[in-house]
Amino acid sequence: MAFRKALKRTAIIGGGAAATVFGLSQLIEYRKKQVRLAHMAAEAKLKAPFADELPSRQAQLATLKSKDFDVLVIGGGATGVGCALDSVTRNLNTALVERNDFSSGTSSRSTKLIHGGVRYLQKAIMKLDYEQYMMVKEALHERANLLEIAPHLSAPLPIMLPVYKWWQLPYYWAGIKMYDLVAGIQCLKTSYVLSKTKALELFPMLKKDKLVGAIVYYDGQHNDARMNLAIGLTAARYGAAIANYTEVVHLLKSKDPQTGIDKVCGAHCRDVLTGEEFDIKAKCVINATGPFTDSVRKMDSQESQNICQPSAGVHIVIPGYYSPDNMGLLDPATSDGRVIFFLPWEKMTIAGTTDTPTNVTAHPTPGEDDINFILREVRNYLSPDVEVRRGDVLAAWSGIRPLVTDPNSKDTQSICRNHIVSISDSGLVTIAGGKWTTYRSMAEETLDAAIKAHNLPAEECKTVGLMLEGSKGWTPTLYIRLVQDYGLEQEVAQHLTSTYGGKAYDVAKMAHVTGQRWPIVGKRLVSEFPYIEAEILYAIKEYACTAIDILARRTRLGFLNVQAADEALPRIVQIMGKELGWSQERKTTELEAAKKFLYTEMGYRSRSEQLNKTSEMTLDNQEIARYKQRFQKFDKDRKGFITTVDLQQVLDSINVQIDGNSLHDILNEVDVNKNGQIEIDEFLKLMSAVKKGHVSDSRLAILMKSAEETLDMRGPVTVDRSGGGV
């Protein structure tokens, strides 16, 4: 009623175009204010029994074993936790189980964008496809909601679309303006056109040859794994019983007395960490397992047809200097018709993604062909002055996108471009497909269907505008209070507030005194990244059970730089082991599992392997002679190899102090045959790989070059750990 009165008042204001615009602006702001007030009122009515402290994993498991539930959700990805939050806030007794860690699958391996899909809108217009149009419109609505309910984890990001042909400028401009128009009042910021000069000013790494201008539009960006976790933790605070590392062995069924049909009534589960098995009883079971949708459907009925069409998307992370701090890049048409994003994230640069058919696996690995494809496409858009090197890839991962076919469609081969909700004869509810951005609306649709099919006593959906874990108490300047109150480094304080929001205080309270003048508290895990040891202790409260959970999802170190993650790993295991009472055997197992994860799933290629893969020598005779001379400055006895002893002797002679363990690590990076020494052939192979860009910032190469120069100049030399490539 108030909104209608405002509309009437606005219509009376003045009579010109300026007055109309003024009135519309007032209306938009008024409407936004009313929506916010409505959300606050609805949220105030919700009860959060665990608002002060989350129950432990053990307590959650005890609840799962002892209580009957209205809804059991299988799957702890974005859609699964979204369903759990929707369910529990409708006053339904809710449970959720995940066989690995929350967000361990596709939901942590995305492009980190919250977007409507520019390319989907293009297809909708070109093909007059109403379904595509509505999919974009829904996603843009959800984009706005997600940015509102988790402001600490998400933010608008300007993305540049460079234009190299004059006719493309009005074409792309019209398409991007349509994107703004479809978003309506939820448009983040208005898109705009840039001249060639201005485009290069904002994105100086851009290739300027034939550039005619650029268009900049806005989408959202987030920390996907932390967002996934925030949704799950919010559900837990409202009373949902959630447990990671809890695997569904088989579904429970009971015969419906009225129809005589076997109905799903729960699941028989196994605690992956202890092996204990138990039943969870529930009136309704929701299958939200992403790429593993078909495996759960076949638990229900072996006759179920496969509906999942898995597609692998590979991303790479390269150093932050490849892109501006706050400007992304979109390549709308790659050499094979794909779309490539080039985005700043966590002070690094993400490039991706690919789209290739794959098999369903819990441990997808990024392929070398996909990595090189992305690097080639990046080269096409960057200035020739910027050398794009394989050795600059700090991490790489593959996520499996669960494209689906509609089981109710006569044409079962057609891929569904959105998501599907289906209910089997036995009552199993399946939600499959879709995208990260629309997780909330997918969950709402799924619960609506489940409530109707199972006649559940539920209230209306309340998740629009429902603030997520950490959003309360967060402000853009909160980090200043952390610096002032606790003596944290500014970079660390900014990281804590952008990761934990208002809960950053809880992490800061757990930080130990450093014993230094500054920072007073907060010891870093590795020097290059703002992650501190206190986060490990806090992560355990957030249900982290393994070292991989810390590296990949509570922090994002494994996704940002696998070599740095490998260096932080022993300390992570040490802290977790002490806190959780791990045996030495368990610590060893954790170390080995995490190293395997980094090596296979995060694209870790040791320098030794890069050397093996690039054995062809590309050095000319003059370069070989120069590098042999450098080698002999360390191999004074002409043995044909050098050891850590040889390195130490030269460093001592020029007054450089590096401890023995560090020297061993530096040598081991390029010791191909692992015999504790570097032969002349290995050294030449290293320098050849450096020349070709397959290995970048080699510590041994830098150390030996610097030492050689210092031996002549007799000046000081320092060798810091480089960013390192994989």
Side-chain angles (χ1 to χ4, degrees), residues 78-79 82 106-107 110-118 120 134-149 154 179 186 188 219-222 224 227-228 231 341 401 418-419 433-444 463-464 468:
T79 306
T106 308
S107 296
S110 73
T111 311
K112 322 303 179 196
L113 284 178
I114 309 170
H115 63 128
V118 174
Y120 296 123
M134 290 306 298
M135 183 175 70
V136 174
K137 190 172 180 63
E138 177 189 49
L140 289 171
H141 172 267
E142 294 301 322
R143 179 188 70 177
N145 182 67
L146 197 50
L147 288 166
E148 179 187 348
I149 65 178
S154 58
Y179 195 58
Q186 294 169 329
L188 301 181
D219 257 327
Q221 188 179 50
H222 69 154
D224 53 3
M227 185 72 81
N228 192 150
I231 301 165
F341 285 99
R401 185 185 179 202
N418 204 336
H419 61 271
K435 53 195 292 187
W436 224 120
T437 307
T438 57
Y439 84 90
R440 193 214 60 82
S441 59
M442 290 164 59
E444 180 181 358
T463 53
V464 174
L468 298 183

Side-chain angles (χ1 to χ4, degrees), residues 64-65 67-69 72 74 248-255 261-269 277-285 296 299-300 424 426-428 454:
L64 290 173
K65 297 171 188 175
K67 190 175 178 180
D68 288 353
F69 295 93
L72 167 62
I74 306 173
V248 172
V249 180
H250 61 79
L251 298 176
L252 301 177
K253 290 187 177 182
S254 62
K255 196 173 293 292
I261 299 174
D262 285 340
K263 294 288 186 178
V264 174
C265 62
H268 182 72
C269 299
E277 298 191 6
F278 56 93
D279 289 342
I280 301 177
K281 299 290 184 63
K283 297 174 184 176
C284 170
V285 176
V296 176
M299 286 183 187
D300 178 33
S424 71
S426 62
L428 176 68
H454 293 274

Side-chain angles (χ1 to χ4, degrees), residues 468-490:
L468 298 183
E469 175 87 352
S471 59
K472 293 180 180 178
W474 177 86
T475 66
T477 57
L478 179 63
Y479 74 93
I480 297 174
R481 291 290 305 276
L482 287 182
V483 174
Q484 294 174 336
D485 293 351
Y486 292 94
L488 288 162
E489 293 176 83
Q490 179 177 327

Side-chain angles (χ1 to χ4, degrees), residues 13 46 48 73 87-89 102 118 189 308 337 358 429 448 452 481 562 598 612 629 653:
I13 297 175
L46 290 172
V73 181
S87 175
V88 74
T89 53
F102 305 116
V118 174
K189 292 184 181 181
C308 185
T358 186
V429 180
D448 285 344
K452 182 178 180 181
R481 291 290 305 276
V562 291
L598 293 174
N612 276 326
Q629 185 178 12
S653 71

Side-chain angles (χ1 to χ4, degrees), residues 380-632:
N380 291 337
Y381 273 87
L382 296 187
S383 167
D385 297 337
V386 180
E387 184 183 357
V388 181
R389 305 176 298 182
R390 173 62 180 84
D392 282 336
V393 178
L394 305 173
W397 67 84
S398 175
I400 301 178
R401 185 185 179 202
L403 302 174
V404 290
T405 54
D406 189 344
N408 300 317
S409 173
K410 294 180 180 179
D411 179 12
T412 57
Q413 297 303 310
S414 61
I415 298 292
C416 180
R417 288 161 294 192
N418 204 336
H419 61 271
I420 61 168
V421 177
S422 68
I423 302 176
S424 71
D425 293 338
S426 62
L428 176 68
V429 180
T430 294
I431 168 66
K435 53 195 292 187
W436 224 120
T437 307
T438 57
Y439 84 90
R440 193 214 60 82
S441 59
M442 290 164 59
E444 180 181 358
E445 183 180 335
T446 303
L447 263 296
D448 285 344
I451 290 164
K452 182 178 180 181
H454 293 274
N455 195 28
L456 299 175
E459 300 174 3
E460 292 296 314
C461 175
K462 299 183 181 69
T463 53
V464 174
L466 182 67
M467 305 305 281
L468 298 183
E469 175 87 352
S471 59
K472 293 180 180 178
W474 177 86
T475 66
T477 57
L478 179 63
Y479 74 93
I480 297 174
R481 291 290 305 276
L482 287 182
V483 174
Q484 294 174 336
D485 293 351
Y486 292 94
L488 288 162
E489 293 176 83
Q490 179 177 327
E491 184 185 12
V492 171
Q494 288 174 324
H495 152 66
L496 292 181
T497 54
S498 65
T499 301
Y500 305 96
K503 299 291 183 182
Y505 277 108
D506 296 338
V507 183
K509 290 174 184 177
M510 302 174 79
H512 294 302
V513 175
T514 64
Q516 301 173 345
R517 185 183 64 81
W518 191 263
I520 299 173
V521 301
K523 186 177 180 182
R524 296 192 182 210
L525 287 170
V526 286
S527 60
E528 306 99 310
F529 293 91
Y531 302 114
I532 60 174
E533 293 182 352
E535 291 181 77
I536 302 172
L537 300 174
Y538 191 77
I540 294 172
K541 294 179 178 291
E542 294 182 324
Y543 307 123
C545 299
T546 71
I548 298 174
D549 298 344
I550 304 290
L551 288 174
R553 294 171 287 275
R554 303 310 184 279
T555 74
R556 305 312 306 275
L557 192 54
F559 280 79
L560 293 170
N561 188 317
V562 291
Q563 190 176 350
D566 190 42
E567 290 185 11
L569 181 57
R571 182 59 178 154
I572 291 172
V573 171
Q574 183 183 23
I575 294 172
M576 292 190 78
K578 182 178 180 181
E579 186 70 12
L580 297 173
W582 286 348
S583 65
Q584 186 57 48
E585 182 182 4
R586 173 66 188 274
K587 291 179 184 178
T588 302
T589 301
E590 286 291 328
L591 281 168
E592 292 175 350
K595 284 181 179 292
K596 182 179 179 181
F597 167 79
L598 293 174
Y599 185 82
T600 59
E601 296 185 51
M602 291 294 104
Y604 193 8
R605 292 293 183 269
S606 67
R607 289 176 175 2
S608 300
E609 182 168 317
Q610 286 294 329
L611 293 174
N612 276 326
K613 293 170 67 175
T614 58
S615 57
E616 182 182 348
M617 197 75 71
T618 59
L619 301 175
D620 58 36
N621 292 333
Q622 187 176 359
E623 289 170 326
I624 291 174
R626 184 169 78 250
Y627 292 136
K628 281 185 176 180
Q629 185 178 12
R630 180 178 301 171
F631 187 85
Q632 288 169 358

